[in-house]
Structures are given as structure tokens and as C-alpha cells.
Amino acid sequence: EPEVTQTPSHQVTQMGQEVILRCVPISNHLYFYWYRQILGQKVEFLVSFYNNEISEKSEIFDDQFSVERPDGSNFTLKIRSTKLEDSAMYFCASSGLASSSYNEQFFGPGTRLTVL
Amino acid sequence: RKEVEQDPGPFNVPEGATVAFNCTYSNSASQSFFWYRQDCRKEPKLLMSVYSSGNEDGRFTAQLNRASQYISLLIRDSKLSDSATYLCVVNEDTGRRALTFGSGTRLQVQP
């Protein structure tokens, strides 16, 4: 069964550093997403990406964040100048046909980001 | 303002029991509804979409009441492997694809 993959599984970084989280969405999916979950809290939407551009973003997704699809398979989230409060699990997700009214999203295993 | 609200639990039930979870959502324009399951420190996994007519998948039954803005999940014949957190998830607008998650209801099935 096709699945979303993410690397690395765990990233430790120093405050102020830049990190890039990587995702390979399900191959025939058209929409890609990043969500985050701070420990003990609920899953929060960050951004959605379609047709090589951001289609939607939340208030959390400020200038510190950017997304890119550098090739036909990878989808990346870059976090610049990381802060302690960026420590969280970051999930990538993808969903299928643009025409589908039921937006079923499938999640990758996540990258645990720890900012020290 | 809580957009998707769930009883956090935990629900402690014996194997074989039937358990029901409820969820309310605040945006009456919400279009799509889902139940996801999340194991500790793992990703949310889609359990089932919730359709207006209600739907069933094996031991799991989901219901939607648009008038009351209420979604339910019923699990029959609980297994130990059903122990997890169940997330109520809503897609609030046809023009948006962002999912809004509830905080989850924890289920512990005991032998």
C-alpha cells in the first residue's frame, strides 16, 4: 500500500539554526500538506501546496517557514532561525484528486524536531 | 474558541465492550468529517470518513448530525489493539483543504 515517507525521523538542532524536513508524498497525489503537533497538544495545520504553489496557510506559517517541491517527488519544509517553541512533531500529508469533495489526507510518520 | 471539541477521556473499557465517542464542531459550513486514530507518538491514521447517511466499516460505525453539528464513532466488540487516541477531524470549507483536529479521546481497552 502506498504511503507517505518522511526524513529524518528525529532532528535535533540549536536555536537559531535552519532545518529542512523532507517528505515523499504518495505518488499520484496532487495536494501536499504540513501539520505540526506540539507534545500533548492537538494536530495543527501549517500549509497546503498544490500545482507548485502554496494554496493555503495558517497563522503559524509565518516568514520563518517555507515549502518547496524541488523535484518530482520530494516536498520540503524549511524552518529558518529555529526557536525553542518550534520543537514539535511535524507531519507531512498528501491527498488525491483535486475533484474529490472528500479531502482524505494520509499522513507520514513524522519528524520529531527538538530545538535546544 | 474551540472549533472541534471532544471528551478527552480516558475511556477504560473491557475487551468485547461497545464504546461510543462524540464530537461537536462549531462551524456549520463544515463539509467533510473524519475519524482518525493516533497511537502514542505516531502519525494520525485515517480510520473512516463520515458521510451524511452514516457509515459502517466492520466493528466501527460513524454518524453525522448536521443539525446538531455532532459526529459520533461507535466501536463494537473492542479489541486490545483498539487502544489509541481517536481524533475527530473536520474540513471546514469547500474552498479550503486544511483539516481541523480535535484534541482526541483516549481509549484504553483492558483484558
Side-chain angles (χ1 to χ4, degrees), chain B residues 41-101:
Chain B
R41 294 182 176 248
K42 300 285 190 180
E43 75 273 24
K45 288 188 190 287
L46 180 64
L47 183 64
M48 56 199 304
S49 303
V50 187
Y51 303 118
S52 296
S53 54
N55 46 303
E56 187 174 310
D57 182 2
R59 299 182 292 110
F60 299 86
T61 301
Q63 297 281 347
L64 168 64
N65 184 323
R66 284 189 184 270
S68 302
Q69 294 178 208
Y70 168 98
I71 308 156
S72 65
L73 177 68
L74 184 78
I75 305 176
R76 288 181 296 279
D77 189 23
S78 300
K79 312 287 185 199
L80 294 176
S81 56
D82 293 334
S83 298
T85 296
Y86 289 83
L87 307 175
C88 178
V89 182
V90 173
N91 181 197
E92 295 198 332
D93 193 308
T94 49
R96 301 178 61 221
R97 299 184 78 90
L99 297 180
T100 301
F101 282 75

Side-chain angles (χ1 to χ4, degrees), chain A residues 37 56 102-105, chain B residues 36 38 43 49-50 96-97:
Chain A
Q37 187 174 30
E56 190 183 343
Y102 244 78
N103 178 23
E104 294 180 342
Q105 297 182 19
Chain B
Y36 279 75
Q38 187 173 32
E43 75 273 24
S49 303
V50 187
R96 301 178 61 221
R97 299 184 78 90

